[in-house]
Amino acid sequence: MTTQNSRRRPGIIDRIRENCFYSPAAGVISVVLGAAILFILGWLLKWAVLDAVWRADLGACRAATGACWGFVAEKWRLIIFGRFPYELQWRPALATGIIVLMLVISAVPALWTRQGALALLWGWVAAFVAFLVLMIGGVFGLEEISTDMWGGLPLTVILTLFGMAASSPIGIALAIGRRSKLPIVSAVSTGYIELVRGVPLITVLFVATFVFPLLMPSWMQIDAFWRVAIGITLFQAAYMAETVRGGLQTISEGQFAAARSLGLTERQCYTSVILPQALVAIIPAFVNSLLSCFMDTSLVTVVSMFDLTGSLRLALGDAHWRPYFIEGYAFIALVYFVSSFIISRYSQWLERRLIGSKERRTIQI
């Protein structure tokens, strides 16, 4: 017979006592750290909210003892859209909205069927075409805008998506090539991966921006944006290859043998049996690469491209608002944090869902 005490679930007080006050030393550390956290949070609340100035009033900001969010209110369009012409900033806003909408649609598991995947593929093609049309212009009566004028959040988003989307198939091919039984294929794949992983991204960006134009013939010259995008793709592909290789190593040789015993070719073994399992296993690592690529786009400022961080530097060029750089960096840090947090939480949910569905299939078998 189950007693009443055994049925009682531990309450919040019980969990706090168990996790924070299980010993005298742990209790002292918990109290000290808790008091420090409360003090910091109280100070931040006072500085960022209670004593803050929210309107674009330079005089009020100078007299205030708290944060001056008026700087963000005054310069947010320059921070978000960079040097894109002010009266045409609806175009990058719409272009970025289309990309974000496709991301949301692609995250719906109900569309991950054969027909849904085809629809998503065409949807992404249309989204990228619409993005380029809106950003570049020159058609449908839109004023033509050079890629040198791109900046802010749209530039960060498109560099991240282009780098990850293009590097994923290259990384998968390199990972499979590194495991190939053909010595030449394995050596070339391994050499590329180790060479690129041994070079910092900033060096790749410098080479793509300043060295390639000197080496390429005049008829092969391309815009700096595309050179940087290709450089990020090739750099990210090497890291993606190692991520995929780690996933492939989690698959036992028995899976390969079972697939071959069914008469599947080597390509069918990978596409139908091995890669689906390996790609599920690397979801955390893939998301880590995505977030890393998202953050690393800020390095393009060193090659005179103004992403979100670079656009903030443009906004800080106004001497009147320059003293409030902390608020500006806090704003873009919030943008990065919210974006990264959403992606991270979604990846955790997706991993639990895929692992749960795999376990249910195993039980049914």
Side-chain angles (χ1 to χ4, degrees), residues 189-247:
S189 300
T190 303
Y192 175 85
I193 293 170
E194 297 301 329
L195 175 64
V196 174
R197 292 177 69 235
V199 177
L201 177 58
I202 193 171
T203 302
V204 175
L205 296 178
F206 266 110
V207 170
T209 305
F210 301 114
V211 178
F212 273 7
L214 301 177
L215 300 178
M216 296 294 102
S218 58
W219 58 272
M220 288 186 63
Q221 297 296 330
I222 58 176
D223 289 342
F225 166 79
W226 294 109
R227 295 199 301 271
V228 167
I230 293 172
I232 292 175
T233 298
L234 297 178
F235 179 85
Q236 199 67 29
Y239 287 87
M240 185 61 64
E242 288 298 275
T243 299
V244 175
R245 188 169 72 94

Side-chain angles (χ1 to χ4, degrees), residues 48-309:
V49 180
L50 300 180
D51 295 339
V53 176
W54 298 89
R55 63 186 185 278
D57 187 339
L58 190 58
C61 286
R62 289 173 176 171
T65 58
C68 175
W69 301 115
F71 166 68
V72 177
E74 175 71 17
K75 300 292 186 179
W76 71 270
R77 293 185 64 161
L78 179 58
I79 297 173
I80 296 297
F81 300 114
R83 296 185 298 169
F84 209 91
Y86 186 87
E87 66 280 0
L88 300 178
Q89 287 178 355
W90 64 270
R91 286 166 50 179
L94 179 58
T96 306
I98 292 173
I99 295 295
V100 172
L101 177 62
M102 279 304 305
L103 283 172
V104 173
I105 294 174
S106 301
V108 178
L111 299 176
W112 298 348
T113 61
R114 186 178 298 273
Q115 295 79 10
L118 184 60
L120 287 175
L121 175 61
W122 284 109
W124 273 110
V125 171
F128 274 112
V129 170
F131 183 93
L132 295 177
V133 168
L134 287 169
M135 293 295 291
I136 298 177
V139 294
F140 305 119
L142 298 175
E143 180 182 343
E144 186 172 357
I145 303 296
S146 171
T147 56
D148 295 336
M149 303 298 292
W150 295 10
L153 186 60
L155 180 62
T156 298
V157 169
I158 196 61
L159 283 177
T160 302
L161 289 181
F162 186 88
M164 291 302 297
S167 66
S168 294
I170 299 175
I172 292 173
L174 287 171
I176 296 175
R178 185 165 187 170
R179 293 164 54 93
S180 175
K181 297 179 181 179
L182 295 176
I184 296 179
V185 174
S186 178
V188 171
S189 300
T190 303
Y192 175 85
I193 293 170
E194 297 301 329
L195 175 64
V196 174
R197 292 177 69 235
V199 177
L201 177 58
I202 193 171
T203 302
V204 175
L205 296 178
F206 266 110
V207 170
T209 305
F210 301 114
V211 178
F212 273 7
L214 301 177
L215 300 178
M216 296 294 102
S218 58
W219 58 272
M220 288 186 63
Q221 297 296 330
I222 58 176
D223 289 342
F225 166 79
W226 294 109
R227 295 199 301 271
V228 167
I230 293 172
I232 292 175
T233 298
L234 297 178
F235 179 85
Q236 199 67 29
Y239 287 87
M240 185 61 64
E242 288 298 275
T243 299
V244 175
R245 188 169 72 94
L248 292 174
Q249 288 178 339
T250 64
I251 310 302
S252 64
E253 288 296 327
Q255 296 281 345
F256 288 90
R260 294 189 185 100
S261 68
L262 295 175
L264 299 180
T265 63
E266 195 71 13
R267 180 183 64 82
Q268 291 173 331
C269 287
Y270 273 102
T271 57
S272 301
V273 178
I274 306 304
L275 280 179
Q277 300 179 70
L279 294 181
V280 170
I282 66 169
I283 287 177
F286 177 84
V287 173
N288 183 65
S289 297
L290 173 61
L291 296 179
S292 176
C293 184
F294 183 55
M295 303 299 178
D296 287 346
T297 55
S298 60
L299 292 176
V300 300
T301 57
V302 301
V303 291
S304 302
M305 294 185 70
F306 299 96
D307 72 317
L308 197 58
T309 307

